[in-house]
Amino acid sequence: MDAIRLILTSRRALACGADAAEIMAEVWQAQALAQAIGSRLAVSGPPELRGEALGLTELAGRGCGVLDPPELDLGDLRAAQLTELADARETLLSLGSLLGEVGMALVGMASAADDETTYWQCMEAIDAADESRDRVLEMLRKLAAREESLEENGNQNSPSGV
């Protein structure tokens, strides 16, 4: 399934989470999806993104690691459904939005936490989501610089690009 479609599914599921357990499961799903997207970009994405994509994979993996994994059937794991990453820029824009929403959901959960364990789990997951989002934003910046460079080189090589 296409990355953007999976991200939209995650955003809807996160927004509809009724209780803390559902929200935590969706946060975990979002981090696992970010990890899968980072891995895909590291292997087959634009060369300029590969280092940041590896970093995203690592950070999102840490985001999953600080949370208790939800009890999911393998077919329900969105990251396992990722088969296509058609447009890196659009995927990263959508992923950045998802990670921002994950952070906001976790802030709400942390402020309402009844126990210290949940609070600190949320705090660590907030940190991982924020750092993951920073990586996504850096990859978007690199993509924009790449496109600008390609446009400049294209204008210099064309007869009218004087």
Side-chain angles (χ1 to χ4, degrees):
M1 189 178 298
D2 181 59
I4 293 173
R5 194 165 154 203
L6 290 168
I7 292 168
L8 292 175
T9 300
S10 284
R11 290 178 73 184
R12 279 191 299 272
L14 182 64
C16 292
D19 62 17
E22 286 180 13
I23 293 171
M24 287 297 250
E26 290 307 325
V27 166
W28 190 93
Q29 284 259 43
Q31 287 286 18
L33 185 55
Q35 185 178 25
I37 290 169
S39 180
R40 179 71 58 98
L41 286 170
V43 171
S44 60
E48 299 88 350
L49 303 185
R50 292 187 179 156
E52 295 296 331
L54 282 172
L56 173 61
T57 301
E58 184 179 309
L59 289 166
R62 192 184 88 201
C64 287
V66 300
L67 301 171
D68 296 327
E71 293 182 25
L72 296 170
D73 292 330
L74 189 56
D76 294 331
L77 180 59
R78 288 187 203 104
Q81 297 173 27
L82 179 64
T83 58
E84 185 180 344
L85 204 153
D87 184 337
R89 183 179 177 282
E90 286 301 316
T91 298
L92 291 170
L93 285 169
S94 295
L95 183 59
S97 295
L98 173 61
L99 291 169
E101 291 166 11
V102 162
M104 288 187 283
L106 287 165
V107 167
M109 285 189 60
S111 63
D114 291 335
D115 63 284
E116 205 169 303
T117 301
T118 301
Y119 173 81
W120 285 110
Q121 222 179 15
C122 288
M123 296 309 289
E124 289 181 40
I126 289 167
D127 188 43
D130 188 46
E131 289 181 36
S132 293
R133 189 168 184 267
D134 287 346
R135 291 293 171 126
V136 168
L137 294 174
E138 181 61 21
M139 284 189 279
L140 284 166
R141 187 194 67 72
K142 287 183 176 189
L143 273 178
R146 175 182 184 231
E147 289 170 9
E148 185 177 305
S149 175
L150 289 173
E151 286 176 9
E152 287 175 5
N153 289 335
N155 286 338
Q156 290 174 357
N157 294 332
S158 69
S160 62
V162 179

